[in-house]
Amino acid sequence: MTLDPAPALDYLERAEMIVRRVRETQIAAIAQAAHICADTIAAGGLVHLFGTGHSRIPIEEIFPRHGSFPGFHPIVELSLTYHNMVVGPNGQRQAMFLEKVEGLGQVIMRNFVFGPHDSFIIFSNSGVNQVVIDVALEARARGMPVIAVVSIDHCNASTPRHSSGKRLIDCADVAIDNCSPAGDALVTIEDLPYPVGPSSTIGYAAVVNALKCLVAAELTKRGQPPLVLTSSVLIGSAASEELFERTYDDYRERVAQVYGGRRLTPPASR
């Protein structure tokens, strides 16, 4: 029996539309965010990354992986993002409950020492859960620029849940749309009452990798080219391994500051 490929092709076509929409509508916002990130990294600061649920995915897409570089600091709470068990201990119900607990964001932020040049990128497809609003408001209160990456359609269709009455886009200096539709899923199938095929991951990946490329270009233009994690397929095993070690050492030196270590001296003044 041959399967009708129409639902798969429908998904791929709609995914292409999301990437095209990011390209056509979000480059100005991505460039503005890249300028903030480049200023932070060039000054020896950190671009902190936060998200709950499946918004952990774009955090890991930024760093660490091939084609990535230090200067970004992932903040990932397992209690809010660890979905493998689904039910039982560390289950999905607990994670979804915790991301709606107001005040938890301030407790998370209390663990870190933030510097004068630091900035924040916060990922949330809905942009309304209490923890992400907590973190955004706390980052703003500490003087850090906040970049929000959300589904604007989904965010505007969602009722604010935080006592401040704010959505994430209301807390941000720059808001980038991942261009996924309200509800996330893309494909409607005959006789199935619910759409399938989530799309926010497609938009997230397009946004963060475009952003990363712009930041790398700007740092290089400023005479501070980043150390980039690079595959052995491109540069050979020995060079790749050596570069990985240098990159991880560089990251360790940068991230020490958030736990009370010395601030990183900007490269130009070392």
Side-chain angles (χ1 to χ4, degrees):
M1 179 179 178
T2 302
L3 291 177
D4 180 1
L9 294 172
D10 189 13
Y11 179 83
L12 292 174
E13 181 177 348
R14 292 173 187 271
E16 289 176 3
M17 290 173 62
I18 287 174
V19 175
R20 191 178 310 119
R21 187 177 170 196
V22 169
R23 177 176 180 171
E24 293 173 350
T25 68
Q26 298 305 304
I27 292 301
I30 292 170
Q32 189 178 357
H35 194 278
I36 292 171
C37 294
D39 284 348
T40 289
I41 296 170
L46 287 165
V47 181
H48 304 283
L49 312 171
F50 183 79
T52 68
H54 289 92
S55 291
R56 170 182 179 161
I57 295 171
I59 294 175
E60 296 183 348
E61 185 71 16
I62 291 184
F63 186 82
R65 61 167 304 171
H66 284 147
S68 303
F69 48 90
F72 299 95
H73 174 227
I75 300 176
V76 175
E77 287 285 317
L78 291 182
S79 62
L80 299 170
T81 61
Y82 189 74
H83 296 155
N84 301 52
M85 296 296 291
V86 184
V87 297
N90 303 300
Q92 182 76 25
R93 289 188 179 93
Q94 297 94 303
M96 294 177 68
F97 176 85
L98 288 173
E99 68 182 1
K100 298 179 180 68
V101 175
E102 191 166 331
L104 179 56
Q106 282 82 359
V107 175
I108 293 169
M109 295 284 276
R110 177 64 180 83
N111 288 284
F112 306 105
V113 179
F114 299 106
H117 302 292
D118 290 2
S119 55
F120 245 93
I121 305 179
I122 301 176
F123 300 91
S124 173
N125 198 56
S126 70
V128 295
N129 285 333
Q130 287 87 330
V131 172
V132 294
I133 305 302
D134 280 348
V135 171
L137 292 175
E138 187 69 16
R140 290 292 298 272
R142 294 173 184 238
M144 287 180 278
V146 172
I147 300 160
V149 186
V150 302
S151 163
I152 298 294
D153 286 348
H154 195 118
C155 188
N156 284 330
S158 301
T159 302
R161 294 172 175 167
H162 196 271
S163 63
S164 67
K166 293 182 181 296
R167 298 177 174 89
L168 183 57
I169 55 177
D170 302 320
C171 308
D173 297 279
V174 181
I176 303 174
D177 189 0
N178 68 24
C179 295
S180 63
D184 206 353
L186 292 178
V187 177
T188 300
I189 295 174
E190 187 177 358
D191 296 327
L192 182 65
Y194 312 110
V196 297
S199 60
S200 55
T201 305
I202 301 293
Y204 273 150
V207 166
V208 299
N209 283 299
L211 172 68
K212 192 161 45 179
C213 292
L214 275 180
V215 175
E218 180 60 22
L219 289 172
T220 302
K221 180 180 176 182
R222 298 184 189 189
Q224 299 182 27
L227 291 169
V228 181
L229 295 169
T230 303
S231 171
S232 61
V233 171
L234 298 177
I235 61 174
S237 296
S240 176
E241 183 176 347
E242 190 270 339
L243 185 52
F244 265 65
E245 293 299 329
R246 288 172 57 208
T247 302
Y248 292 150
D249 287 345
D250 183 85
Y251 176 76
R252 183 184 61 217
E253 183 179 1
R254 290 174 183 274
V255 81
Q257 58 198 341
V258 302
Y259 300 106
R262 67 178 182 85
R263 306 303 301 180
L264 183 72
T265 303
S269 58
R270 289 183 188 177

